[in-house]
Amino acid sequence: MARAHGARAQMALAFETVYGTPPASGYRLMPFARTTLGAEQPLLNSELLGYGRDPLAPIKDAVTADGEVVVPIDVEAFGFWLKAAFGAPTTTGTTPKTHTFQSGNWTLPSMAIEVAMPEVPRFAMYAGCVMDQLSWQMNRSGLLTATARLIAQGETIAATTAAGTPTALGLQRFGHFNGVVKRNGTALGNVVSAEITYANGLDRIETIRNDGKIEGADPGMAALTGRIEVRFADSALVTQAIDGTPCELEFAYSLGANASFTFTAHAVYLPVPRIEIPGPQGIQATFDWQAAKATSPARMCTAVLVNTVTGY
């Protein structure tokens, strides 16, 4: 009897032309570390009386399909998650190609994602997947991954794959060692760690249907927040926080001229932090920042991925 193992699991992804309708072809094999993507349908206890102390059979409630996927921040495959978060990019150049993703799009693409456990066999197709949130952390060491939070329309289970043979991409990962944080174009020193979270504020359209699925997930007000933790060496950030003026923060990774990822928040506002002295060790300050739409460029953030992929 075969037993499912995460080591044999696979994930295939393709963008949909029609929301909730998985395409017949065009799937890509996506690298991932773990996932909670799935559907659940709870049971409602019977409230009826008059049948004795033993309860009557429960009934099924609505279906909820969502979850998270932890993926590597790499040179090629990460562009698909950026497209899900921001919409299709503008691609320029020949070799390398520069893919520019911008915040503020009114519509977001939907994806069909198949999670395969071939030894069971179990092939779960999640149609109508829309990106609700994309987040990652910057540290000095460790594995660099991002967490994509998705809302799906529903789940379909089959014994054979519906994704065919997905196309594999080249895997070239960025690492924390390749990262840098810049403030107004200048490297920001004494940064211990950083967090970035972009949220689309999706609104589930929960209409009455006989299949229990949602009608869609519409983007609401976007939000870009994060945290930077720095060794307290000067008052530049504290002064900015007191003045209430914005700055531009850039979070970048580079593996050379043909492979880089740069995420820029164009207007970042810092809160006035509490400066604590916890003991004899070095003093650190934490800024829970928020980004807003900048005057120039007239958007909140821009993500630029440089690689040799033709398009997303």
Side-chain angles (χ1 to χ4, degrees):
M1 177 181 177
R3 296 177 177 85
H5 290 272
R8 291 193 62 186
Q10 289 187 334
M11 178 177 292
L13 179 152
F15 286 95
E16 299 173 337
T17 302
V18 179
Y19 174 80
T21 303
S25 61
Y27 288 85
R28 301 296 184 104
L29 187 65
M30 304 301 293
F32 72 105
R34 57 187 180 273
T35 180
T36 61
L37 183 61
E40 58 182 356
Q41 188 174 23
L43 297 175
L44 299 176
N45 294 331
S46 175
E47 83 285 19
L48 300 179
L49 306 176
Y51 294 89
R53 291 185 59 229
D54 294 335
L56 297 179
I59 62 172
K60 294 180 179 181
D61 201 4
V63 177
T64 300
D66 55 18
E68 296 180 347
V69 182
V70 178
V71 300
I73 298 182
D74 71 322
V75 177
E76 297 187 7
F78 193 59
F80 291 95
W81 302 109
L82 291 174
K83 179 180 178 180
F86 299 103
T90 300
T91 300
T92 59
T94 53
T95 302
K97 296 184 181 296
T98 301
H99 311 279
T100 303
F101 304 83
Q102 299 180 4
S103 62
N105 287 322
W106 289 103
T107 59
L108 296 175
S110 63
M111 302 172 288
I113 298 177
E114 184 183 78
V115 179
M117 302 178 190
E119 62 272 76
V120 175
R122 182 182 190 269
F123 295 87
M125 178 65 77
Y126 301 96
C129 293
V130 185
M131 178 77 73
D132 187 30
Q133 181 177 296
L134 184 65
S135 61
W136 69 95
Q137 297 180 351
M138 298 183 73
N139 294 293
R140 185 175 184 273
S141 63
L143 295 173
L144 177 60
T145 59
T147 301
R149 182 182 300 173
L150 306 171
I151 293 179
Q153 185 186 42
E155 175 189 68
T156 302
I157 305 297
T160 58
T161 179
T165 303
T167 303
L169 296 168
L171 180 58
Q172 186 180 12
R173 297 182 67 170
F174 295 108
H176 287 294
F177 179 75
N178 311 118
V180 65
V181 181
K182 293 183 179 181
R183 175 178 178 266
N184 294 332
T186 303
L188 183 61
N190 297 298
V191 179
V192 177
S193 65
E195 298 178 11
I196 304 97
T197 300
Y198 179 81
N200 278 311
L202 293 183
D203 179 22
R204 298 175 189 256
I205 311 302
E206 297 178 329
T207 58
I208 299 174
R209 296 170 55 123
N210 61 3
D211 56 7
K213 298 178 180 180
I214 62 174
E215 196 71 27
D218 295 343
M221 289 294 292
L224 177 59
T225 58
R227 170 181 295 185
I228 53 173
E229 188 173 357
V230 299
R231 281 294 182 121
F232 194 55
D234 57 61
S235 299
L237 296 179
V238 175
T239 301
Q240 177 192 329
I242 295 174
D243 293 342
T245 56
C247 71
E248 183 179 82
L249 286 183
E250 178 183 300
F251 309 91
Y253 305 89
S254 177
L255 294 175
N258 295 336
S260 64
F261 170 54
T262 304
F263 184 85
T264 305
H266 298 291
V268 172
Y269 293 84
L270 304 176
V272 179
R274 182 194 303 269
I275 307 298
E276 300 180 352
I277 303 177
Q281 65 269 28
I283 298 174
Q284 297 182 173
T286 301
F287 297 85
D288 293 313
W289 54 268
Q290 299 179 27
K293 184 178 181 179
T295 303
S296 179
R299 56 181 177 271
M300 184 165 59
C301 60
T302 303
V304 178
L305 186 62
V306 177
N307 55 31
T308 58
V309 177
T310 301
Y312 289 100

